[in-house]
């Protein structure tokens, strides 16, 4: 039975009951993760090593980089991807334990409501992630960062730091914002598809 649960859970995650949901899984699972995993490492992989301040001292560079990046973008976006997956994964785990077929989800009102709630939670989590990203990283990476290093040593005061590949990072930031917006729009469209199909089931009855 446990293998059957795993199989149902796996199929539910890969093949949601809606067409838009299946496209969202493809978009989410392939394009977004590939973009983050491959290009994200290329753009941000060695950022800390090339982040330099004036004077170029190791302890100053590390202090200012930690101030510049309270959390690294790769870690933030990885947490975002995992967090957004949780509502859908919980629903499909519930469906697998109850042996609910994907076709049944939109036919039974209770299952439909649970599925819509999982989609709404995905939207809320994406909106929160968008807001957090805008506050942590902004919408543009500037070539210079003014670091307040007086806590490290009084002689430093405000120090200029060079941000490597700032233009590439700005493009990558814009792409991640775009992915988040597309995901939100897909979730909204999926809810409309669910409602339309539910109306179709009711009319057929």
């Amino acid at each position: 039975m446990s293998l059957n649960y795993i199989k149902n859970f796996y199929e539910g995650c890969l093949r949601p009951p809606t067409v838009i949901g299946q496209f969202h899984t493809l978009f989410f699972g392939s394009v977004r993760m590939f973009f983050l995993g491959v290009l994200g490492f290329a753009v941000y992989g060695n950022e800390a090593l090339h982040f330099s301040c004036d004077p170029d001292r190791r302890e100053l560079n590390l202090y200012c980089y930690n101030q510049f990046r309270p959390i690294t973008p790769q870690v933030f976006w990885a947490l975002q991807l995992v967090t957004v997956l949780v509502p859908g994964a919980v629903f499909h785990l519930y469906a697998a334990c109850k042996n609910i077929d994907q076709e049944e989800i939109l036919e039974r009102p209770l299952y439909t409501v649970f599925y819509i709630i999982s989609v709404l939670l995905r939207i809320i989590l994406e909106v929160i992630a968008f807001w957090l990203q805008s506050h942590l990283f902004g919408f543009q990476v500037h070539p210079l960062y003014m670091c307040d290093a007086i806590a490290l040593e009084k002689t430093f005061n405000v120090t200029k730091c060079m941000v490597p590949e700032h233009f590439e990072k700005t493009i990558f930031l814009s792409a991640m914002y775009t992915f988040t917006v597309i995901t939100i729009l897909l979730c909204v469209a999926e809810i409309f598809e669910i409602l339309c199909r539910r109306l179709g089931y009711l009319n057929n009855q």
Side-chain angles (χ1 to χ4, degrees):
M1 290 295 291
S2 60
L3 289 176
N4 191 39
Y5 291 153
I6 294 172
K7 179 185 176 184
N8 291 340
F9 174 71
Y10 178 75
E11 289 179 352
C13 291
L14 286 183
R15 291 184 294 184
T18 61
V19 176
I20 295 176
Q22 292 174 16
F23 178 75
H24 174 265
T25 301
L26 176 66
F27 176 79
F28 192 100
S30 58
V31 179
R32 200 173 181 182
M33 287 188 177
F34 174 82
F35 194 87
L36 176 59
V38 177
L39 296 182
F41 180 78
V43 174
Y44 288 96
N46 296 318
E47 184 183 46
L49 294 176
H50 297 121
F51 187 89
S52 60
C53 301
D54 183 23
D56 189 8
R57 290 171 51 179
R58 177 175 170 76
E59 66 273 18
L60 178 63
N61 292 343
L62 288 174
Y63 180 86
C64 289
Y65 182 75
N66 289 332
Q67 188 181 114
F68 175 63
R69 295 279 190 224
I71 180 173
T72 57
Q74 304 100 304
V75 172
F76 175 83
W77 289 318
L79 288 173
Q80 177 186 356
L81 294 179
V82 171
T83 305
V84 171
L85 280 173
V86 169
V90 170
F91 173 83
H92 291 300
L93 183 62
Y94 168 79
C97 292
K98 294 288 185 179
N99 288 322
I100 303 170
D101 293 331
Q102 294 300 304
E103 293 76 15
E104 290 183 74
I105 293 173
L106 300 184
E107 293 175 0
R108 298 191 181 183
L110 183 62
Y111 299 156
T112 304
V113 170
F114 285 161
Y115 187 75
I116 289 176
I117 290 173
S118 73
V119 178
L120 287 173
L121 285 174
R122 287 208 308 261
I123 294 173
I124 293 169
L125 290 171
E126 288 284 11
V127 170
I128 292 172
F130 189 98
W131 180 81
L132 284 174
Q133 181 176 328
S134 66
H135 278 70
L136 286 171
F137 311 127
F139 293 91
Q140 183 180 1
V141 180
H142 298 283
L144 286 178
Y145 174 71
M146 305 305 293
C147 173
D148 183 7
I150 194 169
L152 184 64
E153 192 173 321
K154 290 184 179 180
T155 55
F156 287 149
N157 202 0
V158 177
T159 304
K160 288 183 180 179
C161 300
M162 297 289 293
V163 181
E165 291 103 20
H166 65 280
F167 184 67
E168 292 178 10
K169 291 179 174 64
T170 299
I171 295 174
F172 197 89
L173 267 179
S174 301
M176 295 307 293
Y177 281 119
T178 303
F179 285 146
T180 301
V181 171
I182 290 173
T183 303
I184 293 171
L185 293 176
L186 287 174
C187 290
V188 172
E190 186 175 5
I191 291 175
F192 278 107
E193 182 187 349
I194 293 168
L195 296 176
C196 290
R197 289 176 66 175
R198 274 298 302 167
L199 288 174
Y201 287 130
L202 292 174
N203 292 332
N204 291 334
Q205 292 176 357

